[in-house]
């Protein structure tokens, strides 16, 4: 018997990515699609912003969208709600007993809410013991953070990172289906994304932090600088990363660590789990969004062009599919880990 | 009487930008257009890669292109030659007595060749006294270097820069008219530009260096990291810059320095001279290539989004029109300074 | 003394084009900028969708935007209102005595409302004698219609057109600043634009019709087929046109007619008037939006690639700047003609 | 035992599409990859223009490219050669006994060379009986022609087409990997493609013609007008088509004919064969290149927006993936039909 799941905020880009991943999922079955008043009562295919893929199942295409009503016929909820409403709605559902897997920023930095990239810090899941509600809230990080934190985690474990400076070149899908108009971004770069830089700084230090005996996080204190740019790319955030370590490192070791990084065996066969979450390309013009964003169905990140830095120790380029691994895909992976461990 | 000038490599993008600037120039008159064998004997409008603007003069449009023959009916030469042939050809012309203003990289780092951004280091011009030839070679820096060096020079003078890390987002015109195909770059980022990073590092430290009594440069030793990306933008290189100073600085002072930075009075009225080579925008989403690359006809650079950095002292965004201020326009400005001082 | 003018719907793309043209106009002076509630009380530069050009005057940038209140301190009104509200608002203003120059579709096909491209059918202006209101409404056609009707009018006069088939490739600015998202249109063609095809068919036959003694139009009955496509171009609608005439024609004659087509002498010196509203390029790969949309400040149309057709007589390509000649620019030209004739 | 096949011109876009389709083909096995001198001796992955997909087999990626030498270890040859050299080389191979499936235009219009879209005119294959050579040449049409001829063939059979006018909006991949630079085509339309219009006119009338008793074609005499545009789309040619029939037709009948059009049963299970080569969408904004070019792996064409025309009978929009169904995919399908019938 599959677990019933509802998608909150199902008609935006992240919501639609939840639908694409969950439409024929072996553990989960979409039982409810929720969105705002505007979409209420419409068939999903008609409520969706943008055009629906021809290979979404007939049942899902024609499911009637409802509002986020108090009682949903589902056990797990996937939230792609916008941050202005996510906070309250998710909390209400947690109180009612639902397990909420959220992509919204609202609860990410809360003391008792785990912020999880499963291959990196699944052990943080025990933070939910500090949630007093019957249900629980489990969050995944911001799209750029996921790429960065997943990419640096394995080398941080070996060489302890002291400082990072990152410049991002972010895709337009990060701003939603109609978030960036063609007139704005074609032939252009917008050198600012509201609120993004602080998210990357704070979330990274939470994710890489250590869980203490009270199931709280002692955050890392990596010194992080970020500058975010929006570029005319549909999907796939590129990041130019400069890293300084505390211990001795070598380039050959770094490359080996990345290519050998693996999830725990117990989770390897999960539907969204992949054997190699990080692919290192030994080419200076790789990775590129158009070529590599969809590797492993968009669930792995790519790294390339590792070289020496004078102000840090090394510099490299990293690519993450922002709406798959960087959003819906990560949340579903969280749910699969949860399902395996807690049912 | 105008000075006669020839343009070498006139049919590529930089060559064409020379033509656009010099077509109706008050000091200079195009007397020769030179290019490769392929173009020899053709009218300029037919030899040009790409389409010619409708407002180029009839005379120039129809001028017959020749090869780089030994004797040119011109005193000043502007070189947009490709680096594989520029070195020898420019040297030959200098030996024959021509004054060569070159955008090619071939001679830029030579000990007796000035590498000039006139508002920054016009005094380096006396390096030509060490050239034994009858003619002289005067170079302008690489397109990204011009933006960076012009932008940091005024704050370097006040606060002495110790370290810089720069990530560039470079326009496709930097690779020539057909250098980047639509299939390659649309919806994509290419995280590498061959040879570019070292140019920026080396040229910047030469430009900001001090001229000694032998008319040689003591190069600066700013520690510079660079990572270069190609993005789907036609014109205008964006640069995310992180700077660490040696002395005390303040943000309000930095902004004031940029907005008040001026060329020497004696050169203010030159045809390509502008009153304000640096415009600081107090907006976090400025400058943008599509909005600001053509300010002051493409001859000024724009800076914006100045803020605190934890690994450096400050970070900001800088924009330079790569084929105008970053190439042909800078070379013509060099020639105008030279004309004023030496005739 | 300049005439005071108000711009209705000033914050969208067409409204902004009105502002750009009228900001330093010799006959007119912007006295009011009106928009929806959302913009009320804001400075124009802050209310504008998109970014304001740096060369708009200080006064206009900082003018406080108001709603469309009943009494405006202006004699001429330029309307860029959206069609759902334009009909009533424009009528109300006409009743109050204002002269309304409208780009909205609401009144275009009304029996007593002139639909004008001044070089083509300025004589239709006497239709306003049938408007019972103290003020008057004068409209300009849809952006694609303006290009088509202006382009075929001179050859229609000579050879009488029987049939036309047109396929348009329309720019995204036609849908407003945020009308088309980058995700939708980059690397794509959308083969439909709601309502556009009928506008082109009906408006063209009205514009090319004859005014009778009652100041009403006997519409032409040219058989017109249209298919509209949206393409990833910022500005400039391209149209592939096939034409069948009733009389004998020759290609050389057609080209001569286009290049010699001129406005009446009396209007030649108007600020937005141009000597040559149609440029024919004798090149098969011209006109191109990026190269030719801004000729004559965007006020002339370009035609090229004239050749034989087997199902019609000839086929050619036509280009019109959709937000200048195709919208605001045409409306201002209407106002200048009106000002000259009626004051 | 698989048949050995060689790909001629393997390093360009069409050649690479042959590689992608044939890399793991059940009937055929790539034994030779041939290209120009420039590529000779290189590994395929290094010789390829553009970047190779990560899922091409190790064997193929590392196959050494050779020139088109007289003796190839293969029975079937797939030619993606450029037209300036294809004519002679293909003829030489046919004389040597090879079966050549060619995408080049060189032999397409020859009296004894079949020009085939298998679902449309596979019976034309008997034209090869008139080829005196030991081997044979079998061609597929131009990319735009394939879309058009496949789309109109089923309705032509029922209602007999008298006239067609077509305007194409063609993708840049049709011009090869570096054929169109980003500077040329971004934000632009180029209203001409050299030689394309005549190909569409002539090839369509050959394909739809009837084979007579001498195995020669009586060409159709449909009156066809074409105007071709290049647009900023990577893959997928859109065509706006206007059609006039000789017999009575109905819209509902036309839609039914398209959706029910099927290949002969005997060929349905071929590896590149698809059950439904034409999909009609009953939506006016479909088909769109980005959404529909890859349906059925790029092997089916899509049609939409069927409506009335006043100068013809009906008009509609058609989409074909130009490098799959419009080139390599069609040639491989020809080879599969041939293999089934002749071994």
């Amino acid at each position: 018997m599959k677990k019933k799941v509802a998608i909150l905020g199902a008609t935006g880009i992240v919501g639609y990515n939840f639908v694409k991943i969950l439409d024929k999922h072996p553990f989960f079955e979409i039982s409810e699609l929720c969105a705002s008043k505007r979409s209420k009562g419409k068939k999903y295919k008609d409520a969706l912003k943008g055009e629906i893929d021809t290979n979404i199942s007939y049942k899902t295409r024609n499911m009637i969208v409802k509002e986020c009503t108090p009682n949903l016929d589902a056990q797990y909820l996937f939230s792609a709600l916008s941050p202005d409403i996510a906070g309250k709605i998710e909390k209400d559902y947690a109180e009612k007993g639902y397990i909420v897997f959220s992509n919204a920023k609202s609860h990410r930095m809360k003391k008792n809410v785990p912020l999880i990239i499963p291959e990196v810090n699944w052990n943080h899941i025990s933070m939910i013991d500090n949630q007093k509600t019957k249900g629980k809230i489990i969050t995944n990080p911001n799209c750029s953070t996921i790429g960065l934190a997943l990419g640096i985690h394995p080398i941080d474990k070996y060489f302890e990172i002291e400082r990072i400076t990152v410049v991002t070149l972010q895709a337009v899908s990060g701003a939603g289906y109609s978030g960036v108009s063609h007139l704005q971004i074609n032939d252009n770069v917008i050198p600012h994304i509201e609120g993004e830089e602080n998210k990357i700084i704070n979330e990274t230090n939470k994710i890489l932090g250590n869980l203490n005996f009270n199931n709280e996080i002692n955050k890392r204190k990596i010194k992080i600088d970020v500058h975010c740019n929006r570029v005319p790319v549909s999907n796939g955030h590129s990041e130019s990363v400069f890293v300084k370590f505390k211990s001795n490192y070598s380039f050959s070791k770094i490359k080996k660590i990345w290519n050998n990084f693996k999830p725990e065996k117990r989770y390897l066969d999960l539907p969204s789990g992949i054997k190699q979450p990080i692919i290192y390309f030994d080419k200076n013009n790789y990775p590129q969004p158009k070529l590599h964003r969809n590797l492993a169905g968009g669930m792995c990140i790519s790294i390339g062009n590792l070289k020496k830095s004078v102000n840090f120790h090394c510099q490299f380029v990293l690519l993450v599919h922002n709406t798959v691994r960087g959003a819906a895909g990560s949340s579903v992976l969280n749910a699969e880990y949860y399902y395996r461990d807690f049912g």
Side-chain angles (χ1 to χ4, degrees), chain A:
Chain A
M1 269 275 293
K2 291 187 184 182
K3 249 195 165 68
K4 287 184 178 175
V5 302
I7 299 165
L8 315 179
T11 58
I13 281 191
V14 174
Y16 179 46
N17 271 283
F18 275 125
V19 168
K20 287 203 281 189
I21 299 169
L22 295 168
D23 187 34
K24 289 150 195 163
H25 196 279
F27 300 171
F28 307 136
E29 181 190 352
I30 302 174
S31 55
E32 308 261 27
L33 294 170
C34 305
S36 68
K37 221 178 201 165
R38 190 191 62 81
S39 301
K40 187 187 165 181
K42 291 188 190 164
K43 289 181 181 175
Y44 183 62
K45 65 178 180 186
D46 300 323
L48 185 65
K49 287 160 197 156
E51 303 288 339
I52 199 160
D53 264 23
T54 48
N55 62 354
I56 299 291
S57 70
Y58 179 86
K59 187 188 149 204
T60 302
R61 303 167 77 79
N62 292 285
M63 196 173 278
I64 301 300
V65 177
K66 47 161 66 177
E67 285 187 271
C68 289
T69 50
N71 295 301
L72 293 173
D73 176 26
Q75 291 151 284
Y76 286 7
L77 311 187
F78 291 97
S79 166
L81 293 169
S82 71
D84 51 324
I85 54 165
K88 173 150 180 21
I89 295 180
E90 294 176 0
K91 212 183 137 203
D92 290 350
Y93 279 123
E95 269 160 17
K96 289 223 148 204
Y98 297 96
I99 310 298
V100 182
F101 297 93
S102 171
N103 183 60
K105 71 170 182 188
S106 313
H107 298 289
R108 280 184 198 152
M109 297 305 295
K110 294 262 169 75
K111 281 209 162 165
N112 57 1
V113 174
L115 179 64
I116 288 186
I117 303 170
E119 297 96 328
V120 172
N121 66 334
W122 178 243
N123 65 313
H124 290 193
I125 189 66
S126 41
M127 293 169 78
I128 57 174
D129 294 351
N130 291 337
Q131 295 183 18
K132 306 293 172 218
T133 47
K134 199 175 140 204
K136 303 295 171 193
I137 296 174
I138 295 153
T139 64
N140 63 278
N142 160 279
C143 46
S144 298
T145 310
I146 290 180
L148 181 67
L150 176 54
I152 63 175
H153 160 69
I155 56 175
D156 180 43
K157 265 194 346 200
Y158 272 75
F159 310 119
E160 205 187 347
I161 291 175
E162 184 189 323
R163 299 173 179 278
I164 303 174
T165 286
V166 190
V167 174
T168 67
L169 291 79
Q170 300 190 211
V172 295
S173 58
Y177 187 70
S178 304
V180 186
S181 77
H182 190 68
L183 284 177
Q184 266 184 294
I185 198 66
N186 186 52
D187 194 17
N188 206 10
V189 167
I190 301 175
H192 179 68
I193 300 174
E194 192 59 36
E196 191 82 356
E197 295 165 2
N198 282 331
K199 282 188 220 165
I200 299 174
I201 295 167
N202 297 329
E203 296 180 8
T204 300
N205 276 320
K206 178 172 181 181
I207 296 162
L208 300 183
N210 291 311
L211 195 74
N212 67 20
F213 293 111
N214 302 320
N215 287 325
E216 289 172 347
I217 300 296
N218 295 325
K219 287 189 203 153
R220 287 293 307 280
K221 290 180 178 162
I222 300 175
K223 288 185 177 148
I224 306 178
D225 273 328
V226 185
H227 180 253
C228 294
N229 296 287
R230 183 79 69 198
V231 294
V233 164
S234 60
N235 287 295
H237 290 353
S238 298
E239 308 185 14
S240 299
V241 186
F242 300 81
V243 174
K244 187 168 184 181
F245 301 108
K246 287 194 174 159
S247 353
N248 287 332
Y249 68 96
S250 84
F251 280 12
S252 59
K253 194 75 188 292
I254 291 175
K255 294 177 190 177
K256 213 176 291 173
I257 290 169
W258 275 329
N259 278 323
N260 293 334
F261 178 67
K262 278 195 178 10
E264 271 184 63
K265 224 176 184 175
R266 158 175 176 75
Y267 306 107
L268 260 181
D269 65 336
L270 291 174
S272 304
I274 48 170
K275 280 179 203 162
Q276 192 180 347
I278 302 171
I279 292 182
Y280 179 77
F281 287 109
D282 223 341
K283 285 189 72 167
N284 57 16
N285 63 341
Y286 275 21
Q288 295 178 19
K290 193 148 65 167
L291 301 177
H292 306 115
R293 61 189 163 208
N294 288 321
L295 290 179
M299 283 301 285
C300 85
I301 65 165
S302 318
I303 302 181
N305 204 355
L306 177 72
K307 60 194 169 201
K308 248 189 120 162
S309 147
V310 298
N311 292 325
F312 300 81
H313 287 132
C314 69
Q315 62 185 88
F316 55 85
V317 175
L318 179 154
L319 174 75
V320 56
H321 192 305
N322 55 303
T323 57
V324 182
R325 171 49 96 162
S330 268
S331 228
V332 173
L333 192 58
N334 283 349
E336 295 173 2
Y337 270 66
Y338 187 90
Y339 178 81
R340 169 127 314 165
D341 284 1
F342 306 96

